[in-house]
Amino acid sequence: KTTADTLMGFMSHELKNPIHALQNLAKLIKPSDESQAQYVNLLQGTLFSMEELLISFTDISKFKSGNFDIKLCRTPTDVAALIENCANLYRQTLTSHVTMHVTISEILYSSFLLVDAPRLQQIAANAITNAIKYTPK
C-alpha cells in the first residue's frame, strides 16, 4: 500500500465527519420561500454527492490494496429525475457565458431502471462539469 493510498483512505474517512455535521445542519434549515427551499435542496444534494465521492475514494483505496469486491447497488431509479436534479445542481453555478440544455429521452420519463444511482449520478456530474469547464468562452 502506497503513502498516497493511505492518505486517500485517511482523508476520505476524516472528511465524512464534517460532511455529516453539515448534512444535519442543512436538515435544520427551515426555508421561508421557494427560492430558499431550492438552495437548501441544492446544499443537501451537494453534500450527498460529496459523501458519495468520499465513499468512492475509500473504495479505490480498498481496491488498490486488494481488499475490495465491487458490488453495485442496483435499485429502481428514476433516471430522468436523477439527471435533471444533477443538471439543476450545476445550472446554479453557471457563469453568463454558458447556458445548459439537457435533453432526456422520453423513454426515461416513464420508467424506473435498475442502476447504481450514486455511481450514475457521479458519471452525470462528471459529464456536466466537463461540459461546463471545456465550453469555449
Side-chain angles (χ1 to χ4, degrees), residues 6-48:
T6 302
L7 180 61
M8 187 168 30
F10 174 76
M11 291 303 296
S12 63
H13 176 74
E14 290 303 313
L15 288 171
K16 285 181 187 176
N17 289 333
I19 288 174
H20 287 154
L22 290 170
Q23 286 172 329
N24 288 331
L25 287 171
K27 289 176 186 175
L28 296 174
I29 298 172
K30 302 294 183 214
S32 61
D33 61 37
E34 184 61 33
S35 176
Q36 288 181 358
Q38 287 179 340
Y39 286 123
V40 170
N41 287 338
L42 289 172
L43 175 62
Q44 290 171 336
T46 302
L47 289 168
F48 177 78

Side-chain angles (χ1 to χ4, degrees), residues 10 23 31 33 52 70 99 103-104 107 129 134:
F10 174 76
Q23 286 172 329
D33 61 37
E52 291 299 321
I70 296 176
T99 57
T103 304
I104 300 172
I107 295 170
T129 56
Y134 296 110

Side-chain angles (χ1 to χ4, degrees), residues 44-55:
Q44 290 171 336
T46 302
L47 289 168
F48 177 78
S49 295
M50 289 175 66
E51 183 178 30
E52 291 299 321
L53 185 59
L54 290 176
I55 290 168

Side-chain angles (χ1 to χ4, degrees), residues 2-136:
T2 67
T3 304
D5 293 335
T6 302
L7 180 61
M8 187 168 30
F10 174 76
M11 291 303 296
S12 63
H13 176 74
E14 290 303 313
L15 288 171
K16 285 181 187 176
N17 289 333
I19 288 174
H20 287 154
L22 290 170
Q23 286 172 329
N24 288 331
L25 287 171
K27 289 176 186 175
L28 296 174
I29 298 172
K30 302 294 183 214
S32 61
D33 61 37
E34 184 61 33
S35 176
Q36 288 181 358
Q38 287 179 340
Y39 286 123
V40 170
N41 287 338
L42 289 172
L43 175 62
Q44 290 171 336
T46 302
L47 289 168
F48 177 78
S49 295
M50 289 175 66
E51 183 178 30
E52 291 299 321
L53 185 59
L54 290 176
I55 290 168
S56 294
F57 285 153
T58 304
D59 291 349
I60 291 168
S61 181
K62 288 178 184 176
F63 180 75
K64 284 185 170 186
S65 69
N67 296 326
F68 182 69
D69 182 25
I70 296 176
K71 294 177 185 163
L72 297 177
C73 180
R74 293 188 287 175
T75 57
T77 302
D78 183 346
V79 175
L82 183 145
I83 294 169
E84 285 178 341
N85 290 338
C86 191
N88 288 336
L89 174 67
Y90 289 98
R91 192 172 275 121
Q92 301 293 323
T93 66
L94 294 177
T95 58
S96 60
H97 80 281
V98 178
T99 57
M100 183 187 309
H101 301 282
V102 178
T103 304
I104 300 172
S105 171
E106 289 296 321
I107 295 170
L108 292 178
Y109 281 107
S110 59
S111 60
F112 281 73
L113 301 176
L114 287 176
V115 299
D116 187 328
R119 296 202 194 282
L120 182 59
Q121 182 173 349
Q122 185 178 1
I123 292 166
N126 285 339
I128 291 167
T129 56
N130 283 340
I132 294 168
K133 185 176 182 180
Y134 296 110
T135 296

